[in-house]
Amino acid sequence: MRDIQTELDDLCSTLASYPDCGRVTSAIPELARVDPKKFAIAVADLNGQTWSAGNAEEPFSIQSISKVFLLALSLGRLGDQLWERVGREPSGSAFNSIVQLEHEGGVPRNPFINAGALVVTDIVLGRREPREAIGEILQFVRAVSEDDSIFVDDNVANSEARFSHRNASLAHFLAAHGNLTNSVERVIGTYVHQCAIAMSCRQLARSGLFLAHGGVNPASGSQILSAKRARRINALMMTCGHYDGSGDFAFRVGLPGKSGIGGGILAIVPGKASLCVWSPGLNQQGNSQLGTLALERLAHAAGWNVFGS
Ligand code: GLU
């Protein structure tokens, strides 16, 4: 391919004039106001180099991308016992489906749909105050990104909290099946705050490097989690990271990825790099429309695909 910077600049200018950029989420009022024309993309490699184009320094709401960090933390806390409380199969359903949870007796299909993330939040929360758990999650994200300026956007958290009826319903279903140890209020409070972490594309690209590097943060050399767990998180990102659009993302991009309704996508190129794109307009499945297209083009140009180049 041409050099990475030229590729990113080109994607940025081509996609800026793209006719259909999807629809910004209306589920969280504070996010509904984000300009759909924002676009950023960043690449971080294992040698510490980063490339970016567009609004790559501008923090946006990472939303469900946080579920990757939450999963890493909860595996550290509970180990493989986690899999007694949450499955690891693609859901094929919307990210906030209630029907599936009821049908499957209160054990969510995977940690990346909302029901699964609520269980994982409950695990990370443990017996602590929500404030302490949110602090630990933020610390983790800062450590893997090597950036202490990362923060939780309380306006977004409060905005989501006011409209959490659906997630609260999921949490009540989980509680009814004995799959929550904390109260619904505490779990939802912790959940909306960790979803409201704000990060830029550059920060997010750097934050994924430990997953591209066998669980080791290449910048600090510290082992964040075992190589086996890093592989497994990548596998779950590939099969479940885009909800009922996961098959399409694997088909088009061929990399483990996790989307958020803020319009961000984190994608991992194992052994090579970590990528992040942000474009707030979403497709039918709630994944960034132009973000997916940008990653499809970049991965194709660079020959980055876990199924072969
Ligand atoms: N906070 C959002 C929710 O729970 C996250 C959804 C997403 O990013 O896909 O609905």
Side-chain angles (χ1 to χ4, degrees):
M1 89 166 158
R2 300 171 294 179
D3 67 281
I4 295 182
Q5 190 58 52
T6 310
E7 204 64 54
L8 299 187
D9 289 339
D10 196 36
L11 276 171
C12 205
S13 54
T14 322
L15 295 182
S17 56
Y18 211 75
D20 180 11
C21 64
R23 294 178 68 116
V24 175
T25 184
S26 56
I28 301 175
E30 194 67 19
L31 296 185
R33 303 185 313 180
V34 176
D35 176 2
K37 287 287 168 205
K38 296 274 183 190
F39 183 90
I41 187 159
V43 174
D45 77 0
L46 299 185
N47 301 320
Q49 257 193 289
T50 55
W51 299 262
S52 66
N55 312 96
E57 309 287 346
E58 184 172 333
F60 62 93
S61 195
I62 72 170
Q63 292 297 314
S64 287
I65 299 174
S66 67
K67 293 172 183 170
V68 173
F69 308 124
L70 209 60
L71 176 60
L73 265 177
S74 64
L75 280 169
R77 191 162 278 262
L78 203 60
D80 287 340
Q81 276 179 315
L82 176 101
W83 305 118
E84 290 165 18
R85 293 181 57 185
V86 56
R88 41 192 197 234
E89 289 295 338
S91 67
S93 296
F95 64 97
N96 54 7
S97 170
I98 291 176
V99 176
Q100 189 170 60
L101 184 63
E102 188 180 22
H103 193 244
E104 298 190 347
V107 178
R109 275 279 176 104
N110 66 65
F112 293 152
I113 52 173
N114 284 14
L118 290 167
V119 171
V120 175
T121 301
D122 182 58
I123 291 166
V124 172
L125 188 50
R127 292 172 180 274
R128 296 175 299 175
E129 289 302 312
R131 193 177 356 96
E132 289 172 64
I134 294 160
E136 186 193 12
I137 298 164
L138 192 56
Q139 245 344 92
F140 180 88
V141 175
R142 287 175 172 174
V144 292
S145 317
E146 300 269 314
D147 193 328
D148 281 344
S149 69
I150 295 166
F151 63 98
V152 173
D153 186 334
D154 287 323
N155 289 333
V156 174
N158 295 334
S159 177
E160 176 168 10
R162 282 197 297 279
F163 293 90
S164 274
H165 307 300
R166 216 179 157 96
N167 283 334
S169 312
L170 289 169
H172 279 292
F173 265 110
L174 292 166
H177 285 280
N179 203 358
L180 279 193
T181 60
N182 288 280
S183 70
V184 167
E185 291 69 28
R186 286 163 79 88
V187 171
I188 294 288
T190 310
Y191 173 82
V192 296
H193 278 84
Q194 58 85 38
C195 282
I197 292 174
M199 290 170 76
S200 70
C201 260
R202 262 183 181 272
Q203 290 168 329
L204 265 168
R206 279 204 302 272
S207 76
L209 283 173
F210 75 101
L211 292 172
H213 193 48
V216 175
N217 180 342
S220 63
S222 58
Q223 186 93 43
I224 308 292
L225 38 66
S226 69
K228 180 168 149 188
R229 287 202 175 133
R231 271 199 307 276
R232 288 179 160 178
I233 291 177
N234 284 334
L236 285 165
M237 287 171 76
M238 176 68 92
T239 53
C240 312
H242 281 72
Y243 312 118
D244 45 341
S246 298
D248 189 58
F249 188 83
F251 183 84
R252 290 171 57 190
V253 182
L255 295 172
K258 182 74 203 85
S259 67
I261 52 167
I265 303 176
L266 172 67
I268 308 299
V269 192
K272 292 198 170 73
S274 166
L275 325 174
C276 180
V277 63
W278 175 45
S279 170
L282 309 178
N283 62 18
Q284 288 284 329
Q285 287 81 28
N287 304 309
S288 174
Q289 176 134 315
L290 293 189
T292 307
L293 184 59
L295 289 176
E296 180 179 12
R297 290 185 179 178
L298 176 63
H300 180 73
W304 289 331
N305 189 312
V306 298
F307 301 108
S309 48

